[in-house]
Amino acid sequence: MGSKITDKKRKSKDSDSESEDELGNGLFDGVLSQSEDEEDYLPSDDGGEDEDADESESEGSDGFEDEGDEDEDEDGILSDDIPSDIDDEEKMDKLVKQQEGLEITEPGVDPKPKEKEEEQRNYRIERDANGGERYVYDEIDPVYDSDDTDAKGPVNTIGNIPLSFYDSYPHIGYDINGKKIMRPATGDALQSLLDSIEVPKGWTGLTDINTGNPLNLSQEELELVRRVQTGLLPDDLEDPYPDTVEYFTSIEEKMPLSSAPEPKRRFLPSKNEAKQIMKLVRAIREGRILPYKPPEEREREEEEQEEVHFDLWQNEEPQAPNPMHIPAPKLPPPGYDLSYNPPEEYLPSKEEREEWENADPEDREKEYLPQKYNALRKVPAWDNLVKERFERCMDLYLAPRVRKNRLNIDPNSLLPKLPSPSELKPFPTVVQTIFRGHDGRVRSVAIDPTGVALATGGDDGTVRVWELLTGRQVWSVKLSSDEPVNTVRWRPTKDAFVLAAAAGEEIFLMVPTHASVTPALDQASRDILAAGFGYATNGQQQSLPVGKEPPAKWARPGTKLEDEGVLIRITVRSTVKVINWHRRGDHFATVSPAGQRSSVAIHTLSKHLTQIPFRKLSGLAQTAAFHPLRPLFFVATQRTIRCYDLQKLELVKVVQPGAKWISSFDIHPGGDNLIVGSYDKRLLWHDLDLSNRPYKTMRFHSEAIRQVRYHKGGLPLFADASDDGSLQIFHGKVPNDQLENPTIVPVKMLKGHKVVNKLGVLDIDWHPREPWCVSAGADGTARLWM
Amino acid sequence: MGKLKKKGQAGAAKNYITRTQAVKKLQLSLPDFRKLCIWKGIYPREPRNRKKVSKSATASTTFYYTKDIQYLLHEPLLQKFREQKVLEKKISRALGRGDVSDAARLERNAARPDKTGKPRYTLNHVIRERYPTFIDALRDLDDCLSMLFLFANLPSTTAVPAKMIARCERLCLEFEHYLITSHSLRKSFLSIKGIYYQATIQGEDILWLVPYKFNQRVVGDVDFRIMGTFVEFYMTLLGFVNYRLYTSIGLKYPPKFDQLKDDQGAELGAFALEGVNIATKDDAKAITNGEAEHGPDPNVQAEVDKIVQQLRDESDEKAAEEGGAPEDAEGDEKPSDAIDKFEPVAPGGDVLPQPSYSSSDPSQLFSKFTFFLSRETPRQPLEFILRAFGCKRIGWDSVLGEGAFTTDESDPSITHQIVDRPVVQAATSEGGDGEDNQTSQKVGPNRRYPGRVYVQPQWVWDSVNDEELKSPELYAPGAALPPHLSPFVKPTQGQYDPTLPLEEQQTEGEAIDAELEDANGEGEESEVENDMSVASDDEEEDEGEGEEEDGDFGGFSEGEEEEASDDDEEEVTRQRQRELEAEISGRAVQSDKKNVDAKTKAKLEAKKALERKKKQEAEELERAKGMLSKKKRKLFEQMQYTNNKKSAEDLKLRQKRRKLEKERKA
């Protein structure tokens, strides 16, 4: 056994050095490494001294001879007690010997391995008490190395350098102990020649790097190499996969091991199996497991299966339509022009056809041209059908649906119900009379309550009275040389013939002489004006605190003017722009926009008394007027119109027309409606009961509106005057029924006045009864429209 | 101060969701999302204010209701889509690994829904959801039918598999069978796009378009995947609708389908309807032509029937005689489904309208006739429409396919023959007669069987639409056909109607114009007759001077025409001026010529009056418009615009017609 291992060692040692490149094989490597391990503890050895010589001799040869046996019982490798074989000296000798000869060495002649094995055994076979064999092993000398399987290492420690470096030395390297390994002796030339002629078994021609001996492979090793190369198992066992020998089933026992009777369950069918089978059966029945079918059959079945139909709406229940759901609109049904044989008028003319063809397909109103075929067989396929369908599909799923309220109403129903023009009549349409005479602008016009005389006041400081129908000037007075007459207003009652006019800071009350004025009337008028003088002298001093300037001074204007008929002069603090009489004729209000807190003043004719109703006014007062029926007083500032109760002395209402700068306003004779003109070109109608905001806003003028006026004599008319030189006449009917809204209809635009210095028509006034109106123009004329 | 509200947490921003967001939320691919939307009937919405919904939204962003998408989240189909995606991934991974067999296994398994494989889905639940009641489904059948009929006529391609086409065709034919049996087809219209049909089922009007039997050309970029998705849904829908319709009239669905006959082109004839019970069975069988073909000669059958009927009547009479008076009375009051007529007993009550009973049921319009279709006529639509209106016996040339009552043109039972070929000249007909071996058994081109009515196909359609048999002379072969009018147009007040005479429709002004024109024509003619030289001179003058001076009536009339088309105010005033001048000059001419009558003058007066009136009206309109608010004025103008457009179209049509009528007269 031990020898076998050594053999192995040897073999490995040999192969180790040079054969590697040739036989580079992993498996082989493994073998080598194993052998290497054992290399080391060769020298330390048991006391088999006697065998040494043989051993050394067999050294080289063993390697080959033993291989054959090695296979048989590889198992019994006992590493520990391997007898070491080579003595150092001997080994050296051999090495040197080999070195002296050629590199190619020949191992010694093969000795008898069997006997050697016997000798090498480290046990004895004895007979035991029974006469059997008994192995008695030698005693082991327990030195340090005796047990060491790990001790190993190459004999030569020069490392991986060519052996040729040592050519000039007697040694070939050093062992682990630092001792030189002497070059083995080599045979002489003849010997080597002989060797070369008779190549020994396992000759490789290589030199073992460790020992310097020629490296030979044994037959066994060669076989191993061959097997590895051919991909077989490296160890040639008889059969790597032998059949199993089944001891329990193959060998029938003559007698049963147990004498127990066969249990009943052996004869009964298995319940568990039955359960499993039932499971499958059930699955098949329920269709969870389908029996195999060829694919064609399966396909056919599937097709049939697809067409399973049943009554989907068997238990239908109508649902309330989702309000958010918008069903897709249906395509419109075909019209006459889609017919294959339409009436001829539907066929496109040549121009239409050309236009259609030239238009981009997206711009076309219809995607087809009507065509006529005189027989059904001539009708071709419609090219766009697939595309049309596709577009419909796209619309169905991609087009956002929006519910659009289509107003399917007659457009005329949107229009307001307007009275016919004949109902709107009468209204002024043409200019009847032109009153010329003023030098410069005519600032103000007024028709007297009887409707006979017209008073005008102008830039030239004169007040003139004309016969309305003829245009003849009947009376004139120059009130001021430098100030224009800003406004003239008749006292509204017929019992007297009194005219109020304002020029600068002075207000004049006069009784013009006129053909229609009878002496009685004239006297009555003069009495009314004079009545206050006595009262004023008595009353005024008492009421006025000492040292404070009175708001107005009532005085006689002087004899020159008195002769002409101007009877009273009232001097106030600033320029008066507006005069408005109370309906009874006893009071009148004046407005002087520049007059700060005394801008609005109310004058009482019978007492020659002037009062300033407002201590403070927010904003600049523009104009003021009395309510035609109730004791209310309206004051317009730039933005708002305030309505005050004169009896309770409180603010009743604030009307907000929304205009930037109110120029004028007028109150409907009914008292519930108001029109407002503004410098920002707007005319606003207010229903005082309805709201503070305008009911209608009319913007028909291109320039500022100067004056607005209702007809006071029962006709539903109102007019405005604008800087664009035109008057606009509106029909504004206020129904008796409170619930109805007033109807406002523009009826006429009167043009005639010239625009001078961006000023057109400055004032208007209506005839007290007739549908006539008078306008004052910046062009120096006044016109009567009828 | 309340808590500041974060943007995008409420309101429009929450109510809407863009498409990309929706796709992400549903974790679907875009094509799957599209499919789902198509099937579930979910469509984009247009928010009132796009900016409020999403700041980054562009004009092309598609918005959906968030609620709609949320509703999709519970859709069982969603899971199927995902499974499908997983499977496809598996297959593609297997292919990527080069594991073809594994891929094939997966693919194969995919065909078996019971294994782990391609998820098979049905759209039943979707249909039930979208159409909770059957009426809802009928209401939406327009698109479904148009689509399926189109697909039934498409050539098969990779995008449109042949199986799909076959299934569409089957479903369509089944539906047609229902219409035939239930006589619910109402109208049909031959258009240039195809044939429109209208049926009324359970009170719902269904209108669909069937293309002519030609190979459909696919122009433009048409995505058949999208259409395929629609078709898939529609096929399921029509299947269920058919089932319901069939069972409602006691028929079994699906009807028996004869593949062999279908292969021979029998189409409608390939189906054999079966009743669910015996009572309806006989009725159902009578529908198909196959039985009639194999059965006894219809004439013989008819005679036999007659005799049987007589016998039965006799026996009835006998029974009546035996039974005596009381039984007779009973017989009179047989219970019936029909509505009783309510006659007012005493005067003074309101008369309530009742559905009228016309003696001739339109659905039995053709029941007494036997038709023969020549081989140039479109067999499918004719067969369908004739059958739907009661015709039982239709024969056709054998080249038109299987299933004809007779293929023998000379069959004596044929009462009507539908032909669509031109009348051939006698000389050529003789030559052609012998050569045409296919029609050798038939008569020559111009020869006709006596006792038979020959009509063009349009006769059938016009008869059906008017619910009465039209006079066949108008539709004789070779005759110029009367125009084929759409039965779907509802006449509305003031719109042009080609069926009415022109005089009833034209406006007053137009009438006067027309008459004037006529008169002028006559006048001119007479003028020419009177003295040629003067007239020609005058005319030359007109042409040369144009508008400036109108010498005579010819020029005047030209002006009139212009005016009709142009209603500009300025134009009108100028026109008036011209008119006045013309009048003056006309008078002068009149004094020269004696034969310009007073009638023309009266007309002129009327015209002027009319014009004045028109002008006045226009003025009034302007005034009224001035009183409208800006918003309302715009609305009014818009409406006016569309109305004017419509009336302009009508005017054009009337003018064309007048011209045509004039030409025809001349």
Side-chain angles (χ1 to χ4, degrees), chain A residues 290-317:
Chain A
L290 296 179
Y292 173 78
K293 268 179 201 149
E296 307 85 52
E297 200 182 329
R298 210 165 57 201
E299 259 175 44
R300 213 176 55 234
E301 260 180 26
E302 266 166 30
E303 268 172 44
E304 280 164 19
Q305 209 180 349
E306 252 175 51
E307 292 175 11
V308 167
H309 289 296
F310 54 91
D311 194 353
L312 196 63
W313 292 279
Q314 199 160 30
N315 45 358
E316 61 182 10
E317 41 197 61

mmCIF file of all heavy atoms in Angstrom, chain A residues 290-317:
data_model
loop_
_atom_site.group_PDB
_atom_site.id
_atom_site.type_symbol
_atom_site.label_atom_id
_atom_site.label_comp_id
_atom_site.label_asym_id
_atom_site.label_seq_id
_atom_site.Cartn_x
_atom_site.Cartn_y
_atom_site.Cartn_z
ATOM 1 N N LEU A 290 -61.407 20.783 -19.428
ATOM 2 C CA LEU A 290 -61.968 20.414 -20.726
ATOM 3 C C LEU A 290 -61.175 19.260 -21.283
ATOM 4 O O LEU A 290 -59.941 19.255 -21.193
ATOM 5 C CB LEU A 290 -61.902 21.602 -21.680
ATOM 6 C CG LEU A 290 -62.726 22.815 -21.278
ATOM 7 C CD1 LEU A 290 -62.543 23.919 -22.288
ATOM 8 C CD2 LEU A 290 -64.193 22.456 -21.184
ATOM 9 N N PRO A 291 -61.869 18.335 -21.809
ATOM 10 C CA PRO A 291 -61.132 17.228 -22.425
ATOM 11 C C PRO A 291 -60.375 17.741 -23.644
ATOM 12 O O PRO A 291 -60.747 18.741 -24.253
ATOM 13 C CB PRO A 291 -62.237 16.249 -22.816
ATOM 14 C CG PRO A 291 -63.475 17.060 -22.879
ATOM 15 C CD PRO A 291 -63.302 18.180 -21.911
ATOM 16 N N TYR A 292 -59.339 17.083 -23.944
ATOM 17 C CA TYR A 292 -58.514 17.528 -25.056
ATOM 18 C C TYR A 292 -59.287 17.430 -26.355
ATOM 19 O O TYR A 292 -60.049 16.501 -26.577
ATOM 20 C CB TYR A 292 -57.250 16.678 -25.149
ATOM 21 C CG TYR A 292 -56.447 16.995 -26.374
ATOM 22 C CD1 TYR A 292 -55.640 18.139 -26.396
ATOM 23 C CD2 TYR A 292 -56.525 16.205 -27.514
ATOM 24 C CE1 TYR A 292 -54.932 18.454 -27.526
ATOM 25 C CE2 TYR A 292 -55.817 16.523 -28.645
ATOM 26 C CZ TYR A 292 -55.017 17.649 -28.656
ATOM 27 O OH TYR A 292 -54.313 17.968 -29.766
ATOM 28 N N LYS A 293 -59.032 18.442 -27.180
ATOM 29 C CA LYS A 293 -59.639 18.408 -28.512
ATOM 30 C C LYS A 293 -58.600 18.869 -29.491
ATOM 31 O O LYS A 293 -57.771 19.738 -29.153
ATOM 32 C CB LYS A 293 -60.832 19.367 -28.554
ATOM 33 C CG LYS A 293 -62.118 18.679 -28.216
ATOM 34 C CD LYS A 293 -63.251 19.667 -28.241
ATOM 35 C CE LYS A 293 -64.404 19.140 -27.421
ATOM 36 N NZ LYS A 293 -65.172 20.183 -26.816
ATOM 37 N N PRO A 294 -58.639 18.379 -30.665
ATOM 38 C CA PRO A 294 -57.686 18.894 -31.656
ATOM 39 C C PRO A 294 -57.963 20.372 -31.916
ATOM 40 O O PRO A 294 -59.101 20.822 -31.798
ATOM 41 C CB PRO A 294 -57.959 18.047 -32.896
ATOM 42 C CG PRO A 294 -59.269 17.393 -32.662
ATOM 43 C CD PRO A 294 -59.439 17.285 -31.197
ATOM 44 N N PRO A 295 -56.918 21.108 -32.243
ATOM 45 C CA PRO A 295 -57.060 22.566 -32.353
ATOM 46 C C PRO A 295 -58.144 23.011 -33.324
ATOM 47 O O PRO A 295 -58.856 23.984 -33.064
ATOM 48 C CB PRO A 295 -55.699 23.035 -32.840
ATOM 49 C CG PRO A 295 -54.795 21.875 -32.786
ATOM 50 C CD PRO A 295 -55.558 20.659 -32.421
ATOM 51 N N GLU A 296 -58.311 22.276 -34.432
ATOM 52 C CA GLU A 296 -59.305 22.721 -35.424
ATOM 53 C C GLU A 296 -60.702 22.678 -34.816
ATOM 54 O O GLU A 296 -61.497 23.604 -34.945
ATOM 55 C CB GLU A 296 -59.287 21.832 -36.682
ATOM 56 C CG GLU A 296 -57.950 21.642 -37.334
ATOM 57 C CD GLU A 296 -57.151 20.528 -36.710
ATOM 58 O OE1 GLU A 296 -57.671 19.407 -36.580
ATOM 59 O OE2 GLU A 296 -55.988 20.774 -36.327
ATOM 60 N N GLU A 297 -60.915 21.579 -34.123
ATOM 61 C CA GLU A 297 -62.237 21.415 -33.524
ATOM 62 C C GLU A 297 -62.478 22.498 -32.494
ATOM 63 O O GLU A 297 -63.564 23.050 -32.385
ATOM 64 C CB GLU A 297 -62.297 20.045 -32.863
ATOM 65 C CG GLU A 297 -63.712 19.555 -32.632
ATOM 66 C CD GLU A 297 -63.705 18.208 -31.932
ATOM 67 O OE1 GLU A 297 -62.737 17.429 -32.158
ATOM 68 O OE2 GLU A 297 -64.619 17.949 -31.159
ATOM 69 N N ARG A 298 -61.410 22.783 -31.748
ATOM 70 C CA ARG A 298 -61.528 23.776 -30.711
ATOM 71 C C ARG A 298 -61.899 25.132 -31.311
ATOM 72 O O ARG A 298 -62.752 25.848 -30.809
ATOM 73 C CB ARG A 298 -60.203 23.888 -29.979
ATOM 74 C CG ARG A 298 -60.388 24.287 -28.549
ATOM 75 C CD ARG A 298 -59.150 24.031 -27.775
ATOM 76 N NE ARG A 298 -58.006 24.724 -28.344
ATOM 77 C CZ ARG A 298 -56.745 24.375 -28.125
ATOM 78 N NH1 ARG A 298 -56.467 23.322 -27.391
ATOM 79 N NH2 ARG A 298 -55.762 25.048 -28.654
ATOM 80 N N GLU A 299 -61.227 25.480 -32.383
ATOM 81 C CA GLU A 299 -61.492 26.759 -33.033
ATOM 82 C C GLU A 299 -62.943 26.859 -33.468
ATOM 83 O O GLU A 299 -63.610 27.868 -33.276
ATOM 84 C CB GLU A 299 -60.598 26.922 -34.269
ATOM 85 C CG GLU A 299 -59.414 27.823 -34.010
ATOM 86 C CD GLU A 299 -58.494 27.871 -35.191
ATOM 87 O OE1 GLU A 299 -58.986 27.991 -36.332
ATOM 88 O OE2 GLU A 299 -57.268 27.763 -34.990
ATOM 89 N N ARG A 300 -63.380 25.754 -34.063
ATOM 90 C CA ARG A 300 -64.749 25.780 -34.553
ATOM 91 C C ARG A 300 -65.725 25.999 -33.404
ATOM 92 O O ARG A 300 -66.669 26.759 -33.499
ATOM 93 C CB ARG A 300 -65.047 24.461 -35.266
ATOM 94 C CG ARG A 300 -66.013 24.644 -36.417
ATOM 95 C CD ARG A 300 -66.221 23.365 -37.181
ATOM 96 N NE ARG A 300 -66.641 22.272 -36.359
ATOM 97 C CZ ARG A 300 -66.027 21.079 -36.289
ATOM 98 N NH1 ARG A 300 -64.953 20.854 -37.011
ATOM 99 N NH2 ARG A 300 -66.473 20.116 -35.513
ATOM 100 N N GLU A 301 -65.432 25.330 -32.331
ATOM 101 C CA GLU A 301 -66.312 25.467 -31.171
ATOM 102 C C GLU A 301 -66.325 26.888 -30.662
ATOM 103 O O GLU A 301 -67.364 27.411 -30.272
ATOM 104 C CB GLU A 301 -65.833 24.538 -30.064
ATOM 105 C CG GLU A 301 -66.649 23.278 -30.014
ATOM 106 C CD GLU A 301 -66.160 22.374 -28.917
ATOM 107 O OE1 GLU A 301 -65.586 22.889 -27.943
ATOM 108 O OE2 GLU A 301 -66.360 21.166 -29.048
ATOM 109 N N GLU A 302 -65.161 27.473 -30.655
ATOM 110 C CA GLU A 302 -65.078 28.845 -30.161
ATOM 111 C C GLU A 302 -65.929 29.779 -30.996
ATOM 112 O O GLU A 302 -66.611 30.654 -30.477
ATOM 113 C CB GLU A 302 -63.628 29.323 -30.210
ATOM 114 C CG GLU A 302 -62.938 29.096 -28.887
ATOM 115 C CD GLU A 302 -61.461 29.240 -29.026
ATOM 116 O OE1 GLU A 302 -61.035 30.026 -29.897
ATOM 117 O OE2 GLU A 302 -60.738 28.567 -28.285
ATOM 118 N N GLU A 303 -65.871 29.563 -32.278
ATOM 119 C CA GLU A 303 -66.686 30.403 -33.157
ATOM 120 C C GLU A 303 -68.153 30.303 -32.797
ATOM 121 O O GLU A 303 -68.871 31.283 -32.707
ATOM 122 C CB GLU A 303 -66.513 29.964 -34.608
ATOM 123 C CG GLU A 303 -65.417 30.721 -35.307
ATOM 124 C CD GLU A 303 -65.157 30.118 -36.655
ATOM 125 O OE1 GLU A 303 -66.118 29.809 -37.361
ATOM 126 O OE2 GLU A 303 -63.973 29.944 -36.988
ATOM 127 N N GLU A 304 -68.559 29.082 -32.585
ATOM 128 C CA GLU A 304 -69.959 28.892 -32.228
ATOM 129 C C GLU A 304 -70.264 29.584 -30.919
ATOM 130 O O GLU A 304 -71.312 30.168 -30.734
ATOM 131 C CB GLU A 304 -70.273 27.402 -32.113
ATOM 132 C CG GLU A 304 -70.495 26.755 -33.465
ATOM 133 C CD GLU A 304 -70.427 25.249 -33.376
ATOM 134 O OE1 GLU A 304 -70.569 24.721 -32.265
ATOM 135 O OE2 GLU A 304 -70.201 24.616 -34.425
ATOM 136 N N GLN A 305 -69.304 29.493 -30.052
ATOM 137 C CA GLN A 305 -69.520 30.068 -28.738
ATOM 138 C C GLN A 305 -69.700 31.583 -28.819
ATOM 139 O O GLN A 305 -70.431 32.164 -28.054
ATOM 140 C CB GLN A 305 -68.312 29.750 -27.877
ATOM 141 C CG GLN A 305 -68.668 29.642 -26.422
ATOM 142 C CD GLN A 305 -67.430 29.326 -25.607
ATOM 143 O OE1 GLN A 305 -66.387 29.002 -26.155
ATOM 144 N NE2 GLN A 305 -67.556 29.431 -24.308
ATOM 145 N N GLU A 306 -69.002 32.190 -29.745
ATOM 146 C CA GLU A 306 -69.058 33.636 -29.864
ATOM 147 C C GLU A 306 -70.481 34.125 -30.105
ATOM 148 O O GLU A 306 -70.844 35.210 -29.707
ATOM 149 C CB GLU A 306 -68.193 34.078 -31.045
ATOM 150 C CG GLU A 306 -66.919 34.764 -30.611
ATOM 151 C CD GLU A 306 -66.050 35.079 -31.778
ATOM 152 O OE1 GLU A 306 -66.576 35.689 -32.726
ATOM 153 O OE2 GLU A 306 -64.869 34.713 -31.765
ATOM 154 N N GLU A 307 -71.224 33.332 -30.796
ATOM 155 C CA GLU A 307 -72.536 33.820 -31.210
ATOM 156 C C GLU A 307 -73.630 33.450 -30.239
ATOM 157 O O GLU A 307 -74.752 33.222 -30.619
ATOM 158 C CB GLU A 307 -72.844 33.291 -32.609
ATOM 159 C CG GLU A 307 -71.925 33.913 -33.633
ATOM 160 C CD GLU A 307 -72.115 33.329 -35.004
ATOM 161 O OE1 GLU A 307 -73.085 32.594 -35.195
ATOM 162 O OE2 GLU A 307 -71.284 33.601 -35.871
ATOM 163 N N VAL A 308 -73.254 33.410 -29.010
ATOM 164 C CA VAL A 308 -74.270 33.142 -28.000
ATOM 165 C C VAL A 308 -75.083 34.408 -27.795
ATOM 166 O O VAL A 308 -74.535 35.471 -27.569
ATOM 167 C CB VAL A 308 -73.609 32.712 -26.681
ATOM 168 C CG1 VAL A 308 -74.625 32.737 -25.565
ATOM 169 C CG2 VAL A 308 -73.021 31.335 -26.836
ATOM 170 N N HIS A 309 -76.355 34.262 -27.961
ATOM 171 C CA HIS A 309 -77.195 35.442 -27.777
ATOM 172 C C HIS A 309 -78.310 35.123 -26.806
ATOM 173 O O HIS A 309 -78.730 33.983 -26.690
ATOM 174 C CB HIS A 309 -77.805 35.884 -29.114
ATOM 175 C CG HIS A 309 -76.792 36.464 -30.024
ATOM 176 N ND1 HIS A 309 -76.107 37.614 -29.737
ATOM 177 C CD2 HIS A 309 -76.314 36.040 -31.211
ATOM 178 C CE1 HIS A 309 -75.266 37.876 -30.697
ATOM 179 N NE2 HIS A 309 -75.350 36.936 -31.614
ATOM 180 N N PHE A 310 -78.728 36.124 -26.138
ATOM 181 C CA PHE A 310 -79.836 35.966 -25.201
ATOM 182 C C PHE A 310 -80.539 37.301 -25.120
ATOM 183 O O PHE A 310 -80.084 38.278 -25.722
ATOM 184 C CB PHE A 310 -79.339 35.506 -23.834
ATOM 185 C CG PHE A 310 -78.262 36.390 -23.280
ATOM 186 C CD1 PHE A 310 -78.575 37.464 -22.472
ATOM 187 C CD2 PHE A 310 -76.920 36.166 -23.589
ATOM 188 C CE1 PHE A 310 -77.587 38.289 -21.977
ATOM 189 C CE2 PHE A 310 -75.929 36.984 -23.096
ATOM 190 C CZ PHE A 310 -76.259 38.052 -22.284
ATOM 191 N N ASP A 311 -81.602 37.319 -24.394
ATOM 192 C CA ASP A 311 -82.335 38.581 -24.316
ATOM 193 C C ASP A 311 -81.669 39.476 -23.282
ATOM 194 O O ASP A 311 -81.826 39.298 -22.085
ATOM 195 C CB ASP A 311 -83.790 38.308 -23.933
ATOM 196 C CG ASP A 311 -84.634 39.547 -24.183
ATOM 197 O OD1 ASP A 311 -84.032 40.590 -24.506
ATOM 198 O OD2 ASP A 311 -85.856 39.462 -24.059
ATOM 199 N N LEU A 312 -80.916 40.391 -23.787
ATOM 200 C CA LEU A 312 -80.123 41.255 -22.907
ATOM 201 C C LEU A 312 -81.025 42.182 -22.101
ATOM 202 O O LEU A 312 -80.687 42.594 -21.013
ATOM 203 C CB LEU A 312 -79.162 42.078 -23.762
ATOM 204 C CG LEU A 312 -78.010 42.750 -23.051
ATOM 205 C CD1 LEU A 312 -77.105 41.713 -22.442
ATOM 206 C CD2 LEU A 312 -77.213 43.589 -24.020
ATOM 207 N N TRP A 313 -82.158 42.490 -22.680
ATOM 208 C CA TRP A 313 -83.014 43.487 -22.031
ATOM 209 C C TRP A 313 -84.220 42.806 -21.387
ATOM 210 O O TRP A 313 -85.326 43.323 -21.429
ATOM 211 C CB TRP A 313 -83.471 44.510 -23.056
ATOM 212 C CG TRP A 313 -82.353 45.358 -23.552
ATOM 213 C CD1 TRP A 313 -81.828 46.445 -22.916
ATOM 214 C CD2 TRP A 313 -81.628 45.218 -24.758
ATOM 215 N NE1 TRP A 313 -80.809 46.968 -23.658
ATOM 216 C CE2 TRP A 313 -80.666 46.243 -24.795
ATOM 217 C CE3 TRP A 313 -81.669 44.324 -25.807
ATOM 218 C CZ2 TRP A 313 -79.762 46.398 -25.844
ATOM 219 C CZ3 TRP A 313 -80.785 44.475 -26.852
ATOM 220 C CH2 TRP A 313 -79.844 45.504 -26.860
ATOM 221 N N GLN A 314 -83.978 41.626 -20.845
ATOM 222 C CA GLN A 314 -85.110 40.879 -20.335
ATOM 223 C C GLN A 314 -85.783 41.621 -19.187
ATOM 224 O O GLN A 314 -86.987 41.775 -19.155
ATOM 225 C CB GLN A 314 -84.633 39.518 -19.852
ATOM 226 C CG GLN A 314 -85.759 38.536 -19.744
ATOM 227 C CD GLN A 314 -85.215 37.130 -19.738
ATOM 228 O OE1 GLN A 314 -84.107 36.895 -19.285
ATOM 229 N NE2 GLN A 314 -85.984 36.201 -20.243
ATOM 230 N N ASN A 315 -84.971 42.049 -18.268
ATOM 231 C CA ASN A 315 -85.556 42.788 -17.136
ATOM 232 C C ASN A 315 -85.083 44.233 -17.192
ATOM 233 O O ASN A 315 -84.394 44.716 -16.314
ATOM 234 C CB ASN A 315 -85.177 42.137 -15.815
ATOM 235 C CG ASN A 315 -83.715 41.787 -15.802
ATOM 236 O OD1 ASN A 315 -83.018 42.007 -16.805
ATOM 237 N ND2 ASN A 315 -83.232 41.281 -14.709
ATOM 238 N N GLU A 316 -85.434 44.840 -18.305
ATOM 239 C CA GLU A 316 -84.964 46.210 -18.498
ATOM 240 C C GLU A 316 -85.704 47.147 -17.558
ATOM 241 O O GLU A 316 -86.875 46.954 -17.265
ATOM 242 C CB GLU A 316 -85.161 46.653 -19.943
ATOM 243 C CG GLU A 316 -86.606 46.644 -20.385
ATOM 244 C CD GLU A 316 -86.759 47.049 -21.831
ATOM 245 O OE1 GLU A 316 -85.749 47.153 -22.525
ATOM 246 O OE2 GLU A 316 -87.912 47.242 -22.253
ATOM 247 N N GLU A 317 -84.970 48.102 -17.089
ATOM 248 C CA GLU A 317 -85.615 49.123 -16.268
ATOM 249 C C GLU A 317 -85.138 50.475 -16.771
ATOM 250 O O GLU A 317 -83.945 50.752 -16.786
ATOM 251 C CB GLU A 317 -85.280 48.925 -14.803
ATOM 252 C CG GLU A 317 -83.842 48.556 -14.560
ATOM 253 C CD GLU A 317 -83.654 47.976 -13.166
ATOM 254 O OE1 GLU A 317 -84.276 46.940 -12.876
ATOM 255 O OE2 GLU A 317 -82.902 48.554 -12.420
#
